[in-house]
Amino acid sequence: MNRFFEKYRNMLIRKKINVVFIPIVILPLLVVIFTSNSIFTQSSMQRTEDNIAGESSIIATRIQSILKTGETSTLLLVKNINLIYEDLGIGEPRSEEPGSGSQEAYPNVRLGNKLVYEFDYNLRAFKDIESIAYIDNQNNVYVSNTRLGDNFDKALESDMVRKLQGPGIPDTMWFPMTTRDYLVTGPNPVLTVGKRVVDFQTGQTLGVLIMNIKESTISSIFPEERKQGKGGFYIADRTGKIIATKNAAKLLKQISEPRMSDWILGKDQSTSVRLNEGGDDYLIMKKEIPERDWILYKQVLVNDITKDKYTNSITIIIVGLICIAIALIVSNFLSRHIAKPIVQLTKVAKQIREGNLNTSSQIRSNDEAGILSVTFNEMIGKIKNLLHEVTAEQKKKREYELALIQAQIKPHFFYNTLDLIFVLCEQGKTSLAADTTKALADYYRISLSNGKEIISIREELKNAEDYLFIQKTRYSDILDFRIEADNDILDYSIMKLTLQPLVENSIYHGLKPRMRSGQIVIKGYLEEGNVILKVIDNGVGFQREKLEQMGNDPASVTSERSFGLRSVSERIKLYYGDQFGIHIRSQPDVSTEITLTIPQKEGAVDHD
């Protein structure tokens, strides 16, 4: 691998372009093939779902029409049979004269003729009805086809006829799709509708009417499938039995695929689903036929829907290969005239112009571009060194200025404290004078720190405590203080005299103007990897205008009150970076909270 990269680095620019260009063209081609196949598949699936939904609506409407035809034909025949009976005077109560004999014997020839004529008329008017049979109350049968009379004794004993002859309201009854050997014209499955015929005037039962609709009448509505066996339309009842299909092998059998059956018969309200049954992926869609509580569904092999995607992929690959060949020819021509390394050097130059000096040219070849790259990188290095020197000089200058500020602060406090000790001795408060002297000595011992600028937070808090003790001795009527610091932060480092200017600011600009007793609290803890130190006082606070003027950077204001704050803020940013510093939160005449944030570091920090 290293030898390959070494060889590549020393290739001519023209060859480099060709080596890189091939995968650049091939990868997008693969992405296009994958994306187009995905889009094509989704489009085909959606189009198929729309087509099936449309076909299902048409089929459902046609089936509803067939069912309606059966009920309408039944009602019409019941009415016409009543008219025939009335016309023939059959079924009317009549008195018997001596020697006159009983009512005319059945079957009545005229009744049979009229019924056959009526059956024929109905079958021609309602094409969906396959056959009609009428059994009167004397168990005589009248049929539209002589084969309906086969096994008539069995018919009379059947549950279907008994149920129709039973008492109660003579409603129209539907019987499931099935095969039987009575009241049918053949062995094929039929859907049967029946109704008990009663006399409209007397309510007397005249007989039962039975009509058959062939399963083929319903399945003929289904469109022809190019591949039978694994696809097509089906109608199933709520038990899962298939009652109509062009696939004779599945007719009147349970849905054999368990997951398919669970979805079709389940309460899932979705109209389509993709399932894998027997190693094949199916798209299945269903539609309810509420009149008979049937479910119309269609299953389609997903491979049949998406088979054209392979043709689409081959076409794209062929076109892609042609494009690759053309692109290689064009790239070979252009690479002789375009110096790619020069373009790279131009990009680097733009980054430098935008201020990014951490960039460099990555050309490492032995050609002319490589020589330019080396020279360019050397120039960047010299610029960075010059900027570093200028930055270091400015940093030292700011350090000298801050050291001068500190030198101006220390003598002022020293003289005031000596005056305080003198007054305490004059007043005979020798113990307090001794404590104050000790606090002053400790304060300057930590402040000097053998010339070190970085001390531990423990020492800095002790320094602030000594300072506050001296000031409390001077202003015992207005000042009280307390220090609350977690032990976890005490061994971390901090610049010395960081807290003292903040405390001094709180005393002279917060508590003294208040002219009554106040308190200063110093808190310290860790938060998100940084050390947080807070100086809180309940003095007069900052005026809203002054606080808005300072914002979050006290270094931006040069007023007398912000002098100490500005010096601490500048020192923090100088040593730790601009992301650290001071944040002020204040309410006029209520309180001021100064939050100081520094990084979590142990030991002294070396600043060159």
Side-chain angles (χ1 to χ4, degrees):
M1 184 63 70
N2 291 332
R3 292 181 60 187
F4 170 77
F5 284 117
E6 184 66 28
K7 186 176 180 180
Y8 174 78
R9 281 196 293 267
N10 294 305
M11 281 182 183
L12 295 176
I13 296 176
R14 177 170 55 86
K15 292 183 178 180
K16 289 181 180 178
I17 292 177
N18 290 336
V19 169
V20 174
F21 195 78
I22 293 175
I24 291 178
V25 174
I26 292 177
L27 288 177
L29 176 63
L30 295 176
V31 173
V32 168
I33 293 174
F34 177 79
T35 304
S36 63
N37 282 341
S38 178
I39 295 174
F40 183 83
T41 299
Q42 293 178 6
S43 176
S44 298
M45 295 291 289
Q46 184 61 50
R47 186 168 58 251
T48 301
E49 288 186 16
D50 293 341
N51 291 340
I52 294 175
E55 290 176 346
S56 298
S57 296
I58 295 173
I59 293 171
T61 300
R62 182 70 181 91
I63 291 173
Q64 290 167 345
S65 175
I66 291 174
L67 298 175
K68 188 67 176 177
T69 295
E71 293 185 355
T72 302
S73 177
T74 301
L75 294 174
L76 183 61
L77 265 176
V78 168
K79 176 183 177 182
N80 291 338
I81 289 172
N82 266 271
L83 294 176
I84 291 172
Y85 271 65
E86 182 180 352
D87 181 56
L88 296 177
I90 300 173
E92 296 177 355
R94 60 180 68 179
S95 60
E96 295 185 1
E97 297 178 0
S100 64
S102 61
Q103 189 178 6
E104 186 178 355
Y106 285 89
N108 188 300
V109 176
R110 288 187 299 162
L111 174 62
N113 290 337
K114 285 183 175 291
L115 286 175
V116 169
Y117 173 80
E118 197 66 37
F119 293 164
D120 182 65
Y121 175 80
N122 272 268
L123 291 176
R124 283 185 283 109
F126 304 101
K127 301 292 184 182
D128 297 326
I129 306 299
E130 186 262 345
S131 57
I132 304 173
Y134 175 68
I135 303 173
D136 65 14
N137 55 9
Q138 301 297 320
N139 289 336
N140 297 308
V141 62
Y142 305 90
V143 295
S144 63
N145 189 308
T146 57
R147 285 180 291 179
L148 290 168
D150 296 345
N151 297 321
F152 182 62
D153 292 338
K154 190 174 183 179
L156 292 177
E157 297 297 325
S158 68
D159 291 337
M160 178 179 69
V161 173
R162 288 181 176 179
K163 189 173 183 181
L164 287 170
Q165 291 176 338
I169 300 174
D171 291 328
T172 302
M173 298 184 185
W174 287 92
F175 298 91
M177 185 80 70
T178 186
T179 56
R180 59 178 185 263
D181 56 359
Y182 56 88
L183 297 179
V184 291
T185 60
N188 296 320
V190 294
L191 176 68
T192 302
V193 57
K195 187 174 180 64
R196 180 159 55 94
V197 182
V198 299
D199 191 307
F200 289 164
Q201 301 297 327
T202 66
Q204 175 188 356
T205 298
L206 303 178
V208 294
L209 179 65
I210 297 171
M211 293 186 180
N212 293 322
I213 300 173
K214 294 175 68 175
E215 180 275 337
S216 58
T217 301
I218 296 176
S219 60
S220 64
I221 304 172
F222 303 159
E224 294 293 335
E225 299 293 332
R226 289 178 293 179
K227 181 187 291 186
Q228 291 290 342
K230 291 190 175 182
F233 278 98
Y234 299 84
I235 295 178
D237 60 20
R238 281 297 171 184
T239 67
K241 183 169 72 174
I242 298 173
I243 60 173
T245 176
K246 286 185 176 290
N247 188 345
K250 294 187 175 183
L251 186 60
L252 297 183
K253 295 181 179 179
Q254 295 296 121
I255 301 173
S256 59
E257 298 83 358
R259 294 176 62 195
M260 188 182 301
S261 176
D262 291 342
W263 181 77
I264 291 173
L265 302 178
K267 297 181 180 181
D268 193 336
Q269 298 299 315
S270 60
T271 58
S272 66
V273 70
R274 286 184 64 173
L275 296 175
N276 185 284
E277 293 285 0
D280 294 321
D281 285 331
Y282 289 94
L283 170 66
I284 306 171
M285 296 189 67
K286 67 179 179 179
K287 182 177 179 63
E288 303 280 347
I289 302 178
E291 288 80 1
R292 297 299 310 137
D293 201 17
W294 291 345
I295 304 168
L296 171 67
Y297 71 95
K298 182 172 184 179
Q299 61 184 61
V300 186
L301 281 170
V302 174
N303 285 340
D304 291 343
I305 300 173
T306 61
K307 62 182 180 180
D308 291 337
K309 75 176 182 180
Y310 301 109
T311 304
N312 180 59
S313 299
I314 292 173
T315 303
I316 293 175
I317 290 173
I318 294 173
V319 174
L321 292 174
I322 295 173
C323 292
I324 289 174
I326 295 173
L328 287 174
I329 295 172
V330 173
S331 68
N332 188 55
F333 173 78
L334 292 177
S335 64
R336 298 177 182 179
H337 302 280
I338 299 176
K340 183 178 179 180
I342 301 301
V343 176
Q344 293 178 346
L345 289 173
T346 302
K347 291 181 179 178
V348 175
K350 289 181 178 178
Q351 291 179 353
I352 295 173
R353 185 177 62 184
E354 293 171 357
N356 182 12
L357 293 178
N358 292 321
T359 186
S360 63
S361 174
Q362 302 301 318
I363 301 172
R364 297 292 184 267
S365 62
N366 295 325
D367 57 11
E368 294 82 359
I371 296 173
L372 285 173
S373 176
V374 172
T375 305
F376 203 79
N377 289 338
E378 291 176 353
M379 180 184 67
I380 295 173
K382 290 181 179 180
I383 293 173
K384 290 171 69 175
N385 289 335
L386 289 172
L387 288 175
H388 181 73
E389 292 174 1
V390 171
T391 302
E393 290 178 359
Q394 291 178 346
K395 182 177 179 180
K396 288 181 180 180
K397 182 179 179 181
R398 293 176 66 189
E399 289 176 346
Y400 294 149
E401 292 174 349
L402 292 173
L404 179 60
I405 291 172
Q406 292 180 25
Q408 291 174 346
I409 293 174
K410 293 173 184 176
H412 173 75
F413 173 68
F414 180 72
Y415 298 146
N416 289 339
T417 306
L418 289 179
D419 286 341
L420 172 62
I421 294 171
F422 174 77
V423 171
L424 292 173
C425 291
E426 283 288 319
Q427 294 176 350
K429 299 178 181 179
T430 55
S431 177
L432 185 56
D435 291 340
T436 305
T437 304
K438 181 65 170 61
L440 179 64
D442 290 343
Y443 171 79
Y444 274 104
R445 184 180 300 110
I446 295 174
S447 297
L448 296 175
S449 302
N450 294 323
K452 294 188 300 183
E453 286 296 323
I454 303 300
I455 61 176
S456 68
I457 293 178
R458 186 191 309 275
E459 293 174 308
E460 180 64 16
L461 289 172
K462 180 63 171 63
N463 196 21
E465 183 180 8
D466 290 334
Y467 179 79
L468 282 166
F469 177 80
I470 295 170
Q471 294 291 41
K472 180 179 179 180
T473 303
R474 291 184 64 194
Y475 306 110
S476 58
D477 56 335
I478 65 169
L479 174 61
D480 193 11
F481 72 91
R482 103 175 158 268
I483 298 177
E484 302 171 358
D486 294 346
N487 291 331
D488 296 343
I489 71 170
L490 297 181
D491 293 326
Y492 292 119
S493 63
I494 189 173
M495 294 179 300
K496 68 180 180 182
L497 292 179
T498 298
L499 293 176
Q500 185 274 335
L502 305 183
V503 172
E504 182 179 1
N505 184 80
S506 294
I507 294 172
Y508 287 102
H509 300 289
L511 299 182
K512 284 189 67 177
R514 185 182 178 186
M515 299 304 293
R516 64 179 182 272
S517 178
Q519 187 180 53
I520 294 176
V521 180
I522 299 177
K523 294 184 179 182
Y525 53 89
L526 290 176
E527 184 179 281
E528 297 181 356
N530 294 325
V531 176
I532 306 299
L533 294 170
K534 292 188 175 183
V535 177
I536 307 168
D537 69 73
N538 56 355
V540 297
F542 283 85
Q543 294 302 315
R544 189 178 302 279
E545 296 79 9
K546 179 65 68 177
L547 197 60
E548 291 175 354
Q549 184 182 4
M550 281 195 298
N552 288 331
D553 187 9
S556 62
V557 181
T558 60
S559 67
E560 179 183 356
R561 179 173 183 181
S562 61
F563 179 79
L565 300 178
R566 186 175 71 253
S567 68
V568 174
S569 178
E570 287 184 351
R571 290 177 66 208
I572 291 173
K573 293 181 183 299
L574 174 64
Y575 278 91
Y576 299 120
D578 290 339
Q579 69 270 34
F580 301 100
I582 288 177
H583 175 78
I584 301 173
R585 186 170 64 181
S586 180
Q587 290 182 290
D589 298 321
V590 178
S591 66
T592 299
E593 179 181 284
I594 301 175
T595 302
L596 185 149
T597 305
I598 60 174
Q600 181 180 332
K601 291 184 178 182
E602 294 185 2
V605 181
D606 185 17
H607 293 278
D608 294 329

